[in-house]
Amino acid sequence: MAIDSVTSSPPAPPASEKDAKALQFIEETTRNTDSLQERVLSEILSRNAETEYLKRFGLRGATDRDTFKSKVPVVTYEDLQPEIQRIANGDRSLILSSHPISEFLTSSGTSAGERKLMPTIHEELDRRTLLYSLLMPVMNLYVPDLDKGKGLYFLFVKAESRTPGGLVARPVLTSYYKSEHFKTRPYDPYNDYTSPNEAILCPDSFQSMYTQMVCGLVMRHQVLRVGAVFASGLLRAIRFLQLNWRQLAHDIHNGTLNPKITDPSLRESLSGTLKPDPELSSFITKECCEENWEGIIPRIWPNTKYLDVIVTGAMAQYIPTLDYYSNGLPLACTMYASSECYFGLNLKPMCKPSEVSYTIMPNMAYFEFIPHDPSAPPLSKHSPPRLVDLADVEVGKEYELVITTYAGLCRYRVGDILEVTGFHNAAPQFRFVRRKNVLLSIDSDKTDEAELQKAIDNASVLLREFNTSVVEYTSFADTKTIPGHYVIYWELLVKDPANNSPSHEVLDKCCLAMEESLNSVYRQGRVADNSIGPLEIRVVKNGTFEELMDYAISRGASINQYKAPRCVNFSPIMELLDSRVVSVHFSPSAPHWTPERRR
């Protein structure tokens, strides 16, 4: 199998006949990109021809591209919300899909603070499972003997709820882990995990993490790869080890399990794994009691060949910390997926993070692309965007991704900005650039400028009785702490500082008021997943943002067009801001969140 259209043959042959078939499937699928895309669209339009949504646009059974493009509009989540809400409320008529909606996959929050509900059908699980089945055959070309050990993966389910109509609403990975596709998967030596299913499926995050860590430590010499879905998840596991190594060492020494692990299925799953091992306990104590945790991953798991984590997009901010803990082990980003659709895979999984490109698999959905030019004025509703087909994108150009899925999303704007880096056969390869309009992200949370502004407006209400207002602000996602957290810089105008300034306690409450205003994905990360730390406000001296403007102008910014950035990550700017901080405040408690509360 040629790994891309410009390089020579791969460093190793397929590891097995099963791998050879998977690699051949990739080859055949990517050779016929345009004709396959045409067939996929025809299948989707044919099967969903009787749905309310497609009938609305007068296709009259047409399944060709030209009719589809001329009649069906490009839409956002907000455009589809009325239809999605009807399904959520229990309407079982053919609204978006001719196949029954099996559940909703919860996506990141909208700017209105509500978690998106993505309708899906049972058949989509087969497509997701197919893409997963292609990952290891590609990886085996680059890393030999992965069948000689295990993978230590920290995988978790998240909270789920039910819509008023009774459909389950949950994250896409929770859906997959709870499916029979995952739970009853056949044994595969290339996908052998240290974590038992019971630990992955335990809804209590502490019990799940503790059990997975115990198993990973007991089997440390068998571990060949360490991973989590996102880089932030793996760093959270390292932080968990830092906080709990004493109890873990105690349990391993005695062959007993922490009494906090109360789930009977977890205790039973470890009954054959956890035996008294004083030698391993002493080793863990020796490695973890030191303050220096540099290289802790290869120190504890010495046979680790690579880390399997997503470090593209917002996750790139975690690369230096991962390098510190792993002594620079390779970082493998294997696939590109979302709640709406699984898109493709990285055919060079051992490349540098900055070089990661994903090959879109044209059988997964029908793909279109809006050319993206940040400097161009926004299009009006009367001049809709010109869309490009998958086979017609151009190398070096950026596009916004639009999908049409078997589950009934038609010409749906995903919100991802991608850059074309090349082609594998006739299938384009894309670098993930960023989420459109996202300012802040720590884990799976995504906060845009409108939401941040709303949170600051709500927090500012607490300052009114002190005759104080927020003059200016900016933000950044601090990932040096584990878990990472949002940092907001405030410059305040205190109109009567002698008599009535807001107290430290009031400013702490402002942090919490901001968190209460952020979307449910953020609040779940704070409350249930512990993947996000308390929000921090840093109050800066008066005049700081004028200095920031002076600095920007000195670097060539136009004084007429300058506006304070709402998110910063440029070191000189952050150093300037931090040198002007006069007080620091943290949220005094966690915001409210329950699985049912989506606002």
Side-chain angles (χ1 to χ4, degrees):
M1 172 186 173
I3 288 309
D4 64 34
S5 52
V6 294
T7 60
S8 58
S9 59
S16 65
E17 186 179 340
K18 180 182 170 187
D19 278 14
K21 287 181 179 176
L23 298 173
Q24 186 59 33
F25 174 80
I26 294 171
E27 286 299 286
E28 291 171 358
T29 304
T30 56
R31 276 197 194 107
N32 306 304
T33 296
D34 200 46
S35 59
L36 184 51
Q37 279 281 279
E38 211 161 14
R39 192 172 84 220
V40 165
L41 179 62
S42 178
E43 285 176 3
I44 292 171
L45 295 179
S46 176
R47 68 153 61 175
N48 291 330
E50 295 305 310
T51 60
E52 280 184 34
Y53 189 76
L54 285 182
K55 278 185 169 182
R56 183 182 306 165
F57 303 112
L59 267 69
R60 299 196 173 102
T63 62
D64 63 287
R65 258 183 213 175
D66 290 343
T67 305
F68 172 71
K69 290 188 173 197
S70 66
K71 292 183 177 291
V72 179
V74 176
V75 295
T76 64
Y77 182 78
E78 287 71 24
D79 296 324
L80 295 181
Q81 248 179 329
E83 285 79 14
I84 288 171
Q85 198 58 54
R86 282 174 57 200
I87 299 168
N89 289 342
D91 191 332
R92 297 291 177 263
S93 51
L94 305 183
I95 299 173
L96 296 176
S97 168
S98 63
H99 287 215
I101 300 301
S102 55
E103 63 181 320
F104 284 105
L105 302 177
T106 53
S107 185
S108 55
T110 65
S111 58
E114 183 178 349
R115 192 184 276 274
K116 295 177 185 175
L117 296 175
M118 292 297 165
T120 191
I121 57 179
H122 280 299
E123 179 190 309
E124 284 297 290
L125 257 175
D126 296 330
R127 281 190 189 83
R128 293 196 284 272
T129 303
L130 170 63
L131 201 61
Y132 284 128
S133 75
L134 303 176
L135 303 182
M136 287 310 293
V138 173
M139 184 61 74
N140 290 337
L141 294 173
Y142 293 91
V143 185
D145 300 327
L146 289 173
D147 58 335
K148 304 294 193 295
K150 295 177 181 285
L152 169 54
Y153 282 78
F154 296 97
L155 306 175
F156 304 92
V157 296
K158 294 195 175 186
E160 57 185 51
S161 60
R162 287 195 177 270
T163 67
L167 286 173
V168 173
R170 57 193 177 186
V172 62
L173 289 172
T174 297
S175 170
Y176 176 66
Y177 297 147
K178 287 191 169 186
S179 73
E180 294 306 307
H181 288 68
F182 180 79
K183 291 192 288 187
T184 61
R185 64 196 185 280
Y187 171 76
D188 180 351
Y190 289 100
N191 268 315
D192 191 7
Y193 300 148
T194 56
S195 299
N197 282 1
E198 293 83 356
I200 295 169
L201 296 171
C202 176
D204 184 293
S205 60
F206 176 86
Q207 293 189 59
S208 175
M209 177 75 87
Y210 194 94
T211 309
Q212 294 191 59
M213 188 64 78
V214 166
C215 294
L217 291 170
V218 169
M219 302 180 213
R220 75 183 196 92
H221 286 295
Q222 295 171 260
V223 170
L224 301 181
R225 51 200 173 112
V226 176
V229 178
F230 293 115
S232 56
L234 182 53
L235 291 176
R236 203 157 73 245
I238 298 301
R239 178 60 177 163
F240 185 90
L241 181 59
Q242 285 181 313
L243 295 173
N244 295 281
W245 65 263
R246 288 179 180 82
Q247 182 66 47
L248 288 158
H250 172 273
D251 288 359
I252 289 169
H253 184 280
N254 298 312
T256 57
L257 191 55
N258 187 337
K260 290 182 181 176
I261 309 304
T262 57
D263 187 315
S265 68
L266 290 187
R267 300 192 76 87
E268 185 179 346
S269 70
L270 262 68
S271 60
T273 303
L274 187 57
K275 307 291 186 187
D277 191 340
E279 186 180 345
L280 176 57
S281 176
S282 297
F283 170 80
I284 292 167
T285 300
K286 176 178 172 294
E287 291 296 333
C288 296
C289 71
E290 300 176 10
E291 287 188 15
N292 178 19
W293 276 58
E294 186 173 1
I296 194 68
I297 293 175
R299 277 157 49 191
I300 291 183
W301 296 283
N303 298 315
T304 306
K305 296 171 182 277
Y306 64 93
L307 306 184
D308 190 346
V309 285
I310 294 173
V311 288
T312 50
M315 291 295 126
Q317 59 197 348
Y318 295 104
I319 292 172
T321 313
L322 285 173
D323 286 344
Y324 173 79
Y325 285 130
S326 73
N327 280 346
L329 280 170
L331 303 171
C333 299
T334 56
M335 67 184 291
Y336 171 36
S338 76
S339 303
E340 296 91 336
C341 177
Y342 277 28
F343 305 117
L345 63 162
N346 180 4
L347 296 181
K348 290 174 146 184
M350 301 305 283
C351 68
K352 295 177 182 176
S354 59
E355 297 171 359
V356 169
S357 287
Y358 300 102
T359 301
I360 300 290
M361 295 298 287
N363 60 315
M364 300 303 290
Y366 182 68
F367 300 103
E368 297 175 272
F369 299 86
I370 302 173
H372 179 69
D373 180 1
S375 61
L379 293 168
S380 71
K381 290 218 170 189
H382 304 294
S383 58
R386 176 183 63 85
L387 272 64
V388 177
D389 286 321
L390 181 62
D392 297 331
V393 295
E394 297 179 45
V395 173
K397 292 193 175 178
E398 290 187 3
Y399 298 89
E400 182 186 345
L401 177 60
V402 175
I403 58 171
T404 298
T405 70
Y406 286 90
L409 295 178
C410 281
R411 309 197 88 187
Y412 177 85
R413 297 176 77 152
V414 175
D416 288 358
I417 305 299
L418 309 174
E419 180 191 358
V420 186
T421 58
F423 283 80
H424 176 73
N425 295 322
Q429 297 176 307
F430 293 90
R431 178 178 73 86
F432 180 90
V433 178
R434 60 182 173 85
R435 285 285 295 171
K436 194 178 182 186
N437 301 327
V438 170
L439 278 186
L440 294 169
S441 179
I442 293 291
D443 189 50
S444 54
D445 56 297
K446 298 176 181 71
T447 298
D448 64 19
E449 187 170 337
E451 190 174 1
L452 181 62
Q453 180 68 58
K454 176 187 166 191
I456 284 172
D457 289 344
N458 289 345
S460 298
V461 171
L462 299 175
L463 303 176
R464 285 180 188 166
E465 66 177 284
F466 304 97
N467 213 4
T468 296
S469 59
V470 178
V471 175
E472 197 55 276
Y473 70 90
T474 190
S475 64
F476 84 100
D478 184 354
T479 57
K480 290 179 182 172
T481 60
I482 301 174
H485 68 290
Y486 290 6
V487 175
I488 317 296
Y489 293 97
W490 273 9
E491 184 174 323
L492 300 177
L493 176 61
V494 184
K495 293 180 181 172
D496 189 9
N499 297 318
N500 199 20
S501 296
S503 66
H504 199 288
E505 184 183 6
V506 168
L507 289 165
D508 287 350
K509 287 180 180 176
C510 288
C511 296
L512 181 57
M514 284 194 66
E515 292 196 302
E516 291 286 6
S517 303
L518 296 175
N519 63 58
S520 62
V521 183
Y522 174 90
R523 287 182 281 110
Q524 179 176 339
R526 280 278 284 121
V527 177
D529 305 336
N530 298 314
S531 60
I532 304 172
L535 183 142
E536 176 184 0
I537 289 175
R538 297 178 187 174
V539 178
V540 297
K541 293 177 183 175
N542 284 0
T544 296
F545 278 83
E546 282 187 38
E547 291 183 57
L548 197 62
M549 181 174 72
D550 291 342
Y551 177 77
I553 292 169
S554 75
R555 289 175 54 84
S558 164
I559 192 167
N560 294 319
Q561 295 179 300
Y562 174 83
K563 60 179 181 178
R566 292 302 173 224
C567 185
V568 294
N569 53 21
F570 185 48
S571 293
I573 289 177
M574 296 172 73
E575 287 168 10
L576 187 156
L577 288 165
D578 282 331
S579 71
R580 305 296 189 271
V581 171
V582 293
S583 64
V584 174
H585 310 271
F586 286 92
S587 193
S589 60
H592 294 100
W593 178 84
T594 63
E596 292 76 28
R597 181 177 184 257
R598 295 210 313 274
R599 282 193 178 276

